[in-house]
Amino acid sequence: MVTHMILLHCLVFLWPTESCRTLSQVGDKSKEMSTRPHGVCDGACVDNSHCSQPCPPDTQGNMGFSCRQKKWHKLTETCQTLNAFNIFEPNLYSIQAAGERTKVNESTRKSETITDMLMQRCPEDLSCVIRNIRNSPRIPGNIAVIVQLLHNISTVLLTGVDKAKMQSYSIMANHILNSKSISNWTFIPDRNSSWVLLHSVNSFARKLFINKYPINISDVFIHTMGTAISPDNPGKNFTFSMKVNDTSSDITGQVLISRDELQKVPTLSQAISIAFPTLGAILEASLLENVTVNGLVLSVILPKELKRISLIFEKINKSEQKRTQCVGWHSLESRWDQQACQIIQENSQQAVCKCRPSKLFTSFSILMSPHILESPILTYITYIGLGISVCSLILCLSIEALVWSQVTKTEISYLRHICIANVAATLLMADVWFIVASFLSSPVTHHNGCVAATFFVHFFYLSVFFWMLAKALLILYGILIVFHTLPKSVLVAALFSISYGCPLVIAAITVAVTEPGKGYLRPEACWLNWDMTKALLAFVVPALAIVVVNLVTVTLVIVKTQRPAIGSSMFQEVRAIVRISKNIAILTPLLGLTWGFGIATVIEDSNLAFHIIFSMLNAFQGLFILVFGTILDPKIREALNGRVISVKWISRMSENLSTDFSFHPTKATS
């Protein structure tokens, strides 16, 4: 009988047949609707081609596919069974008299949205859509309809949200937050849907009024707690325990408000917290960033006077090989922001965060960093290698100073040793600032110090590469034989301008562009950010570009110096050019290889071996400069031998003079 009444009502309102069939069968659809498999498009699959197919029977919308590697892959889906009519309870239609249907029809034409109809039919508790929403399949189109409905409700209801409305709202949200629906979120064309849902729930909860009795509304995938607070309270603690999926054990989360913070609030205030066990994974599916939420998402609705809260997150993935980041959801930029929180304590089971709630940040969680935690072996390699590097560079500069007059007799030799001395000096300064940066515990507690240390490390490391570039340019000048047309002072000024000016400009632009948005530093270390702003590219790109230029230059030298006709007057300068080329041919691949492995370390799930190789190459760069730039240079060895012979000769002469001086007085006495 009910089915006949529904069909009659469909005819009266001229509903589409498919909608009526859906409505009459809605009570039987408690199971998830299966989606059509890949490869459903007709015709040949050509890479990067697209097609669209209608949804299965009893649903409205279409599915978009893209061809990749000769297979059709689903990109989007708008299939839905819910609409402005069948979302409401069936008995609301069946009990109306024929005369009243006309009024409903007129009302429907005026109120085109589900929200408007909802506010007319059950404004007291919003319950008239719950049954059909619960029974609807969690397919992408239905998820989008419910998200839009929740958003509209949070916008329309400005005040007067009580426990009954919050319960109905939570039931609707719980249906699409189900762990079984996570994969379907990826096919919703509007990529903003997940954070629209988060914002809508937070906005609706902000209007919730709490009397003297606490509120505790618990569903499987959303849990809301609220209570009145006052300056007299000893502190507040919201504790949640929820399942991430059907098979996992409970994951806990806590919101702690200290007594000191509560003393700042007005006499009549309230605190609300909402926990989401699956929303983190749903946000992951929508975000372009490669992040992994590793705990509950905890939202807090607090008085503006509360500036600090503590949050304790139990980890979903309890791996000790991953670094944890405390984050807040930036409501305007729709991304996780590491500047909203700082990590206070961490172990393999949980992380304790201190966060700053505000209008921009009301939701918080922990991320599992894609980078492997530093191994103790990396620390030992780094500091032992840096010690050796610093000593090697000091020795290198000392040798250069000792033999300077002997090895800089020709113009090109003078310029070459200017370059090698500055390579050593800039790398020494970079190592010193690297050590300073390592002693700063974190960018949060020593932010200004970290910015300064990172700037100078960036600047001096870039200078090392630009001095290597200067050596390559020196070779090009030598090949083109333009030394005789340019004064030495001009060449020296040009070398210093390129080697210090370019790094200064790059480093200054990097900090000026990224620091205002707090995207200059990594959250866990004083070095250029990668995850948010890719600021590290401001070092890697110039460095590797210089490596390519230098290798091309060395190849050019090899070709040029193979030509037999070389005048004897140019012999010394040609030999000097060849020595510089050998030096660059060895040092450039070493420096380039070092930062090639450096790029590998920022790739997600990169092997620990890459980190160890990078740490070794990076830490021992000073030793490379000493060995390949100084000790293996035959001119320097010759000058050092001369120095040693001179010292021995002076020592022997001193001994002879001392012997003569001691002999003559004895003879005079006798």
Side-chain angles (χ1 to χ4, degrees):
M1 182 64 183
V2 171
T3 304
H4 289 298
M5 290 296 295
I6 294 171
L7 293 175
L8 178 60
H9 191 74
C10 291
L11 293 172
V12 171
F13 289 102
L14 300 177
W15 285 356
T17 305
E18 291 297 331
S19 298
C20 297
R21 189 185 303 132
T22 299
L23 182 57
S24 63
Q25 296 174 351
V26 72
D28 300 326
K29 291 188 177 180
S30 57
K31 297 182 180 180
E32 295 300 312
M33 181 173 291
S34 60
T35 56
R36 191 177 291 192
H38 297 317
V40 296
C41 290
D42 298 327
C45 179
V46 181
D47 281 353
N48 299 320
S49 61
H50 299 269
C51 79
S52 179
Q53 291 289 302
C55 290
D58 299 334
T59 61
Q60 301 168 351
N62 56 68
M63 297 179 289
F65 294 84
S66 174
C67 181
R68 296 194 304 271
Q69 298 179 347
K70 305 301 180 182
K71 289 185 178 180
W72 290 109
H73 296 270
K74 185 164 67 174
L75 294 181
T76 61
E77 180 182 325
T78 60
C79 302
Q80 67 180 74
T81 60
L82 294 174
N83 56 47
F85 303 105
N86 63 18
I87 197 171
F88 294 98
E89 293 283 359
N91 61 357
L92 289 178
Y93 302 102
S94 60
I95 63 173
Q96 294 179 73
E100 294 176 324
R101 291 171 189 161
T102 307
K103 296 180 181 179
V104 173
N105 189 28
E106 292 174 357
S107 173
T108 302
R109 290 174 181 173
K110 295 177 182 177
S111 308
E112 296 181 352
T113 67
I114 299 175
T115 310
D116 292 334
M117 298 174 70
L118 179 66
M119 292 298 106
Q120 293 173 13
R121 296 169 185 268
C122 52
E124 297 82 10
D125 58 5
L126 312 178
S127 63
C128 56
V129 294
I130 290 177
R131 178 182 170 186
N132 285 350
I133 284 179
R134 275 178 165 173
N135 291 334
S136 65
R138 301 180 188 92
I139 53 179
N142 283 351
I143 293 173
V145 168
I146 297 170
V147 168
Q148 188 62 48
L149 173 62
L150 293 172
H151 172 69
N152 291 345
I153 292 172
S154 68
T155 305
V156 170
L157 283 178
L158 302 178
T159 57
V161 176
D162 55 15
K163 185 177 180 179
K165 289 188 180 71
M166 193 70 208
Q167 283 177 325
S168 297
Y169 198 90
S170 294
I171 291 170
M172 289 184 261
N174 183 75
H175 182 71
I176 56 176
L177 288 168
N178 191 298
S179 58
K180 296 177 181 177
S181 70
I182 293 174
S183 60
N184 282 337
W185 282 83
T186 61
F187 301 120
I188 300 175
D190 185 359
R191 306 295 291 180
N192 301 335
S193 296
S194 56
W195 54 82
V196 168
L197 173 64
L198 176 60
H199 175 75
S200 301
V201 173
N202 290 342
S203 177
F204 192 78
R206 193 179 296 277
K207 300 161 188 172
L208 177 61
F209 177 73
I210 300 172
N211 294 318
K212 58 182 179 179
Y213 299 108
I215 286 178
N216 189 341
I217 302 170
S218 178
D219 286 288
V220 179
F221 300 104
I222 179 172
H223 188 176
T224 304
M225 291 186 185
T227 184
I229 56 174
S230 69
D232 301 329
N233 293 139
K236 283 295 178 184
N237 176 7
F238 297 110
T239 302
F240 301 94
S241 181
M242 309 179 76
K243 288 184 181 294
V244 178
N245 53 53
D246 293 338
T247 59
S248 67
S249 57
D250 284 4
I251 297 295
T252 61
Q254 286 183 279
V255 178
L256 306 173
I257 308 172
S258 67
R259 181 175 184 177
D260 292 340
E261 284 293 318
L262 285 175
Q263 290 176 351
K264 303 175 184 177
V265 303
T267 304
L268 297 176
S269 299
Q270 61 185 38
I272 299 168
S273 185
I274 310 167
F276 307 89
T278 57
L279 185 57
I282 291 170
L283 288 167
E284 285 175 38
S286 304
L287 288 172
L288 297 178
E289 299 178 52
N290 190 11
V291 297
T292 301
V293 177
N294 200 29
L296 300 179
V297 174
L298 298 177
S299 292
V300 290
I301 314 298
L302 301 171
K304 62 181 180 180
E305 291 79 10
L306 288 178
K307 303 296 184 183
R308 294 274 178 179
I309 58 172
S310 296
L311 299 136
I312 303 175
F313 296 95
E314 182 182 352
K315 296 180 180 179
I316 299 171
N317 184 335
K318 296 177 172 59
S319 169
E320 295 184 2
Q321 297 301 312
K322 296 290 185 177
R323 185 180 288 112
T324 296
Q325 300 169 356
C326 297
V327 291
W329 181 260
H330 198 298
S331 58
L332 290 182
E333 298 180 5
S334 301
R335 62 175 175 84
W336 291 113
D337 194 321
Q338 300 157 1
Q339 302 299 326
C341 300
Q342 68 183 92
I343 191 162
I344 303 300
Q345 187 179 356
E346 179 191 6
N347 56 40
S348 61
Q349 300 296 312
Q350 65 180 24
V352 181
C353 306
K354 185 81 75 174
C355 298
R356 302 186 301 275
S358 65
K359 287 184 177 180
L360 287 180
F361 299 103
T362 55
S363 301
F364 305 92
S365 191
I366 54 173
L367 302 184
M368 186 169 66
S369 171
H371 308 308
I372 298 175
L373 278 173
E374 290 187 4
S375 166
I377 191 172
L378 295 180
T379 305
Y380 295 140
I381 290 172
T382 299
Y383 286 106
I384 292 172
L386 278 174
I388 295 173
S389 184
V390 168
C391 293
S392 299
L393 292 168
I394 292 173
L395 182 58
C396 177
L397 291 172
S398 301
I399 291 173
E400 285 288 335
L402 190 65
V403 301
W404 187 264
S405 58
Q406 282 80 25
V407 297
T408 57
K409 291 180 180 179
T410 66
E411 190 173 62
I412 192 168
S413 295
Y414 174 81
L415 295 172
R416 172 187 180 273
H417 284 279
I418 284 282
C419 291
I420 197 69
N422 277 278
V423 167
T426 50
L427 186 55
L428 177 61
M429 293 303 299
D431 286 345
V432 169
W433 277 104
F434 184 89
I435 294 170
V436 170
S438 68
F439 279 102
L440 299 175
S441 59
S442 78
V444 177
T445 53
H446 300 89
H447 183 77
N448 293 335
C450 265
V451 169
T454 301
F455 175 83
F456 284 113
V457 171
H458 185 199
F459 168 69
F460 283 116
Y461 271 135
L462 274 180
S463 295
V464 172
F465 279 91
F466 273 91
W467 275 109
M468 294 295 293
L469 175 64
K471 293 175 75 173
L473 295 177
L474 200 59
I475 292 173
L476 293 177
Y477 273 116
I479 292 173
L480 298 173
I481 316 298
V482 297
F483 289 108
H484 304 297
T485 61
L486 291 174
K488 184 165 67 175
S489 59
V490 173
L491 288 172
V492 171
L495 291 177
F496 274 85
S497 299
I498 292 170
S499 304
Y500 287 119
C502 293
L504 182 62
V505 169
I506 294 171
I509 290 175
T510 303
V511 69
V513 170
T514 59
E515 175 55 22
K518 302 301 180 185
Y520 183 60
L521 302 174
R522 295 189 179 195
E524 74 280 357
C526 298
W527 185 225
L528 297 173
N529 186 285
W530 175 256
D531 295 322
M532 289 172 54
T533 60
K534 301 293 186 288
L536 183 60
L537 291 176
F539 170 74
V540 172
V541 171
L544 296 187
I546 289 171
V547 169
V548 173
V549 171
N550 284 10
L551 293 177
V552 170
T553 302
V554 170
T555 304
L556 189 62
V557 169
I558 293 172
V559 173
K560 287 284 186 181
T561 53
Q562 294 300 315
R563 295 181 180 180
I566 300 177
S568 58
S569 61
M570 300 297 297
F571 183 69
Q572 277 193 327
E573 290 191 353
V574 170
R575 286 187 63 187
I577 290 171
V578 172
R579 280 199 301 273
I580 300 172
S581 301
K582 288 179 179 178
N583 182 257
I584 292 178
I586 294 170
L587 285 179
T588 295
L590 282 173
L591 295 176
L593 190 64
T594 298
W595 291 103
F597 279 106
I599 294 174
T601 61
V602 300
I603 298 174
E604 182 182 5
D605 296 327
S606 57
N607 195 289
L608 182 62
F610 287 124
H611 293 258
I612 294 174
I613 294 170
F614 172 68
S615 296
M616 291 181 67
L617 291 174
N618 186 44
F620 288 96
Q621 283 182 106
L623 182 62
F624 300 152
I625 300 287
L626 173 65
V627 173
F628 298 111
T630 303
I631 293 177
L632 294 182
D633 188 314
K635 285 288 185 182
I636 290 179
R637 290 204 308 272
E638 183 182 330
L640 283 174
N641 287 333
R643 282 282 185 178
V644 170
I645 292 170
S646 298
V647 169
K648 286 182 179 179
W649 184 81
I650 292 170
S651 176
R652 193 172 299 163
M653 289 293 295
S654 299
E655 289 177 5
N656 291 337
L657 288 173
S658 176
T659 303
D660 291 343
F661 180 76
S662 60
F663 173 75
H664 289 297
T666 305
K667 185 177 180 180
T669 305
S670 62

